[in-house]
Amino acid sequence: MTLPAPGAAGLADALALIADVPDFPEPGILFKDITPLLADHAALAAVVAALAAPGRDETGEPVVDKVLGMESRGFILGAPVALALGVGFVPVRKAGKLPRATYAVSYALEYGEATLEVHQDALAPGDRVLLVDDVLATGGTARATIDLVEQCGAHVHAVAMLMELGFLPGRHEIGTVPLTTLMTV
Ligand code: AMP
């Protein structure tokens, strides 16, 4: 796949396509809808290139072995990031969706608990992994995914997020793992 090398203006134009949807899926939540961005080829290409950047060294060479995407918008963004880096893609799924032996991590939500899973053979010990998702909110999803990677004996090289909700503590949840976010709201 060939992607253009967009400049900063291209990325800003892309991020401007994200739509705010008040009170979705419940009152008080300002939902960040990335579907207008996904529907625009130039915007999608700019965002994919920017999210892939933390998986490269200063010469532009890929330095990760796998890209992991978290269900479900992490699949949409993560798979083309993996192609851009020339590596494979691994889905991290909600409980009960993966058909073979998995590792699982449960984490607290505002109400209740969620569980994420990854196939036990999806990563080799020592693999360097780039995590990709759309929104870093409380950081629970990212933290659980980092824990899953560590259960596999692999290493999280970096986390790449389209957007960070700066009023929530997500950044602190992921600790010392390098974090790239394309915008903070
Ligand atoms: P968290 O675990 O709290 O960091 O939440 C991250 C996950 O929830 C991501 O996979 C996002 O897709 C989704 N998410 C959280 N807050 C929002 C929001 N305001 N708009 C859209 N998606 C969100």
Side-chain angles (χ1 to χ4, degrees), residues 19 21 24-25 29-34 70-74 94 107-109 116 132-143 161 163 165 167-168 170 173 185:
V21 184
F24 183 88
I29 303 290
L30 183 63
F31 189 82
K32 297 291 182 176
D33 177 19
I34 66 168
M70 294 89 117
E71 187 164 351
S72 59
R73 276 158 281 157
K94 293 172 183 162
Y107 62 103
L109 298 175
L116 292 178
V132 174
D133 202 359
D134 64 337
V135 176
L136 180 67
T138 66
T141 305
R143 179 71 255 166
M161 295 274 177
M163 171 185 334
L165 305 185
F167 54 89
L168 290 173
E173 274 295 312
V185 295

Side-chain angles (χ1 to χ4, degrees), residues 3-8 45-46 49:
L3 292 173

